[in-house]
Amino acid sequence: FFHMDSIASEHAGLKIITMEEFLEKEGIAGSLRNTSTGQVSFPPQNRTNWNGFNSQVHDELSPWLRTVAVMPDWDPNHCLAAF
């Protein structure tokens, strides 16, 4: 675990948001699409606050995030950062 908020406080151009903020701004707004179908995809149960739902994060949120995210195949030995 790395404290990204520490980096954000030192670098004005880096804004860190919570998962809840991300899901509200992008997920519930309909901005995320399933990478296989191209269809708009909303968070499981339209939930944005997953705090305290540890097993459901593993079983529902994480798999859903994989369907709306691009996961490039990159080698950390040849690349310092990927965005």
Side-chain angles (χ1 to χ4, degrees):
F1 180 75
F2 190 80
H3 295 281
M4 294 298 288
D5 55 338
S6 299
I7 291 178
S9 67
E10 295 175 8
H11 301 282
L14 181 64
K15 179 165 173 24
I16 305 296
I17 64 172
T18 65
M19 177 61 76
E20 185 174 5
E21 288 175 280
F22 171 74
L23 292 174
E24 288 171 358
K25 290 180 180 181
E26 303 297 331
I28 298 299
S31 300
L32 301 177
R33 295 184 176 269
N34 183 296
T35 58
S36 297
T37 67
Q39 296 290 322
V40 172
S41 185
F42 296 96
Q45 303 172 39
N46 285 327
R47 179 182 290 157
T48 58
N49 183 345
W50 289 81
N51 294 331
F53 293 94
N54 295 338
S55 65
Q56 289 174 305
V57 166
H58 180 268
D59 296 340
E60 297 177 44
L61 181 62
S62 292
W64 173 79
L65 286 170
R66 288 184 191 97
T67 69
V68 297
V70 175
M71 296 180 291
D73 184 26
W74 65 284
D75 182 348
N77 294 315
H78 296 109
C79 182
L80 293 178
F83 297 94

